Amino acid sequence: MDIAMPIIPFGSLVDDETSLEDLLASLLSDQEGILSTDSALKPSRQRSTVELLQAIRGISSRKDLRLCGLNWKCGSGIFCPRCTPRLNGYLIPAVAQAVREAHFSAFATFNIAHRPGDKLLTLKGAMSAGWTQTTSGADWSKLREKHGVSGWVRAWDFTYSEWAGWNPHIPVIFTFEKIPDLTEFRQEISHRWVHGLRKSGHDALAVRQYVRERYGTPDQLARYLLHNDPMRHTPERNGMVAPSSTIGDILGAMADAVQDGDIDAPAIRLWREYEGALFRQHAVTPSQSVRPALTEARRRAKNGWQGQRVTASGTHR
C-alpha cells in the first residue's frame, strides 16, 4: 500500500517569489476578460485523438508522425497525442516505484530566462547543456554524497504566450538515501544550475516558477512529473483561462487552422517549431540508478504497441 509522503518543492533561484506569469495572473485576476490565453491559440473545442492525428498528418514534416495511427506508431514520448499518453501509462508505474523505494523525495523545477522571439530549439539545447553541467563532474559527486542523493528523474514541460514567448522548464524528482538539508541542497543545486546555464550562454529566471507544495502517493507524484500529455489544456482561474497556452492548446488551435485552410496561422508555426525541436525526445530522462526500470518500461510499451493501429473511427485493434 502506498504511504502518503510530503513532496518538497523548490525553485531555481529565489524561493520566496512567484514567477512573472503568476505575478501577472494575481494582478489581473480581478479584471474580467483580461486574463486569457492568446486568442489565436484558444482552440474552438477539445478534439479527439483521431482528429488531432489527422490534423498533424496534414502539416507534419515527420514521416513517422504522419503515419502514426495508420500502420505503425511514431513512438514519441513527449508530444504525439496518441503515443504520449500510452507511453506514460508504462512510465508512471516505473517512476512511482523509484520514488517508493527512496528514503526521501523532493520535487524541483528548473527554468531559463526567455524572451518573445527566442527559438525553442535554442532554449531547449541550452537547458539540456545546463542540466549536463549541473549533474556531472567531481563537485556533483561530492554534492550527491553530502546530501545522500540516490538518483533523479527529469521531464520536460512547455507553455507559450505572446507576451513572453516559449517558456520551457524542467521538472525533476530527486530521490535520497537519507533526509537531506533541503535549504542547503536547494542553494547548492541552484548555484550549479545557474553556472551550467551561463556556460551555455544563458541565464536562469530572476524569479522562480510557481510550484506548490505537494503531498501524495508515489503514483500521484509520477503523474505530476509526466503531465506532458498534448491533450492537456490550460486550466481556468476564477472562470478565466490562465495567461499561457499549453501544447494541447497549440495543437487544438493548429487543428482548427488546418480545418479552415489557414496555412499561415500562428498555431501552425508554433506547432512546427515545437515538432522540429522535440520530435523523438524522451518523456523522461533518468539518472543511472533509475535507468533500468525506465528502460524496461519503454521496452514493454514498444512490445505492447505491436500489431495495433488506429482505425478511422478511433478504435484500436
Side-chain angles (χ1 to χ4, degrees), residues 24 28 42 78 80 91 127 129 160 170 173 186 213 232 242 259 279:
L24 179 67
L28 300 181
K42 292 176 67 175
I78 195 167
C80 174
L91 292 177
M127 295 184 81
Y160 179 86
I170 299 177
I173 299 173
R186 177 174 59 237
E213 186 171 355
R232 178 172 62 97
Q259 184 180 40
F279 189 71

Side-chain angles (χ1 to χ4, degrees), residues 258-271:
V258 171
Q259 184 180 40
D260 296 338
D262 184 4
I263 61 173
D264 296 321
I268 290 182
R269 175 182 58 80
L270 291 173
W271 176 258

Side-chain angles (χ1 to χ4, degrees), residues 201-232:
H202 289 76
D203 288 309
L205 287 173
V207 294
R208 70 163 188 157
Q209 177 187 328
Y210 176 64
V211 181
R212 291 175 296 177
E213 186 171 355
R214 291 186 172 269
Y215 296 87
T217 66
D219 285 327
Q220 290 169 330
L221 177 60
R223 291 179 190 279
Y224 182 67
L225 180 78
L226 284 161
H227 69 296
N228 59 350
D229 189 338
M231 304 291 280
R232 178 172 62 97

